[in-house]
Amino acid sequence: MTWISKSTTGFGLLLLAHACYSAHEHSALQSHRAASLSSLPTTQSGSTTSLPIDITIETVLATLMICLGLVSGTSRLRPIQWRVWAGQIEREGEAGFTNSSGEVEKDYVGNPFRLLESRPGFVDIRKQRKEFAEWVKGQ
Amino acid sequence: MPTEREFQIAPIVPESVMHNTKALSNLQNLTASIFGAAAGILGLESYSGFLFYLVFTVLTTVLFYAIRVAPTSLKAGHATFDTSRFFRTQYEFWAGGLFGGLAGYILTWTLFYGLVRA
């Protein structure tokens, strides 16, 4: 997923740089032509025309591509309401908090109710004793 | 406007709010500079430049909504264009980027305008 967004952004930047160079060349050529034609009596009034349509299209397309690439490269959003957020952690665990390259994000805190669930008062001591006894028998 | 009582009943996770806001504002600052470069290359002046910025920023926000917000938000039963699952106010999501990125936009707009029309 990450390489798609990065390559889209990179290609868009390349197109934008090319459009920038083209526009610069165009304006340089126009000013050169205007300077050379100024000696002639029939000076074209349309010599300082606007940008050619292909450069315009290239620029707009490049902008849209960069935009798409950057948006698809953003990290996943997290629910702001506590109950929705804690529910997502319960259901999906670490899988719901991976970044675009598939690693768990650094500020993933885990279950916010971890402290409650491991509270000593809630430990089922009889069940643990039974399990231990079975384990001892099995040895 | 949510009251203190409502915040007690349905608490909000500040880390998530910060994470989402950071993701959105990073995106908007970056794209604003790119739009500035594009506007400078196109040679836009005065109102058309600001119109260009407005159109593309709204486009970016809608794209962000469609890619990041909509898939999970619609599944959770929110209405279309309702961002309350990830952002505290609608205004922050839909209009926050317009003013946050404007300075960067004008900076690169003037820079590229000057570069191209040397």
Side-chain angles (χ1 to χ4, degrees), chain A residues 1 10 13 15 20 32 40 50 59 69 74 80 97 99 101 127 138:
Chain A
M1 197 58 196
L13 281 174
L15 274 184
C20 184
H32 178 70
L40 296 174
S50 59
T59 312
T74 51
I80 58 166
F97 291 86
N99 54 19
S101 53
K127 189 181 164 206

Side-chain angles (χ1 to χ4, degrees), chain A residues 49 55 58 60 67 91 97 104 121 127 136:
Chain A
T49 49
I55 301 180
E58 189 180 9
V60 172
C67 197
R91 254 179 285 112
F97 291 86
V104 177
K127 189 181 164 206
V136 167

Side-chain angles (χ1 to χ4, degrees), chain A residues 133-139:
Chain A
E134 276 167 11
W135 178 77
V136 167
K137 271 183 212 159
Q139 288 300 100

Side-chain angles (χ1 to χ4, degrees), chain A residues 24 27-28 31, chain B residues 112-118:
Chain A
H24 181 257
S27 80
S31 61
Chain B
F112 273 82
Y113 190 92
L115 275 179
V116 167
R117 275 150 197 77

Side-chain angles (χ1 to χ4, degrees), chain A residues 73-78 88 92 94-100 105, chain B residues 19-20 23 68 72 86:
Chain A
T74 51
S75 57
R76 256 201 258 182
L77 300 179
R78 297 178 192 161
Q88 192 188 354
E92 299 171 15
E94 288 184 346
F97 291 86
T98 49
N99 54 19
S100 51
E105 289 188 43
Chain B
H19 176 264
N20 294 349
R68 288 290 156 200
T72 45
F86 299 111

Side-chain angles (χ1 to χ4, degrees), chain A residues 13 16 19-20 23-24 27 51 55-56 59-60 63-64 66-68 70-85 88 105 107, chain B residues 10-13 16-17 19-20 23 27 30-31 34-35 37-38 41-42 56 59-60 63-64 67-69 84-88 112 115-118:
Chain A
L13 281 174
L16 194 69
C20 184
H24 181 257
S27 80
L51 219 54
I55 301 180
T56 311
T59 312
V60 172
T63 315
L64 289 178
I66 294 170
C67 197
L68 186 68
L70 286 178
V71 169
S72 59
T74 51
S75 57
R76 256 201 258 182
L77 300 179
R78 297 178 192 161
I80 58 166
Q81 284 199 315
W82 187 288
R83 56 192 174 85
V84 182
W85 173 72
Q88 192 188 354
E105 289 188 43
D107 48 353
Chain B
I12 275 175
V13 192
S16 293
V17 175
H19 176 264
N20 294 349
L27 174 78
L30 260 177
T31 49
I34 299 290
F35 297 155
I41 292 168
L42 290 176
F56 273 88
L59 199 77
T60 313
L63 209 62
F64 187 76
I67 289 182
R68 288 290 156 200
V69 179
S84 60
R85 184 180 162 90
F86 299 111
F87 293 93
R88 292 180 67 168
F112 273 82
L115 275 179
V116 167
R117 275 150 197 77

